[in-house]
Amino acid sequence: IEGETLVMTTRYCIRRELGFCLKTHKGKNLPTPLFIETGLDRFRLDFDCKNCCMKVINVAMRPSEEPTE
């Protein structure tokens, strides 16, 4: 998708760490999509449960989401 960049793929999974792995009953209770935000950067977390990995994707902020100074 335009404006998005794959930052990394990792076997460390935040869903699993929080106890919401989709391979368990409890996993269905976590809302999606999940994001990490820091400063001006926003990262979407995509989960590849079949291969047990997580992708971190840098997404461009929409103008309405940009911080004002």
Side-chain angles (χ1 to χ4, degrees):
I1 299 174
E2 190 171 329
E4 297 185 352
T5 306
L6 177 64
V7 176
M8 72 177 190
T9 301
T10 177
R11 292 195 53 86
Y12 175 81
C13 180
I14 288 178
R15 286 188 79 106
R16 184 177 60 220
E17 189 67 25
L18 295 173
F20 290 97
C21 178
L22 286 175
K23 294 180 179 181
T24 67
H25 173 69
K26 193 175 177 183
K28 307 282 188 227
N29 297 327
L30 193 64
T32 58
L34 295 179
F35 292 92
I36 296 175
E37 293 183 2
T38 177
L40 297 177
D41 295 315
R42 186 174 192 199
F43 303 93
R44 186 181 73 238
L45 305 177
D46 287 349
F47 302 95
D48 180 354
C49 298
K50 179 182 176 189
N51 294 308
C52 202
C53 67
M54 179 181 77
K55 295 179 182 179
V56 179
I57 300 167
N58 189 348
V59 295
M61 288 186 155
R62 294 177 287 204
S64 63
E65 294 178 326
E66 290 180 3
T68 56
E69 296 185 39

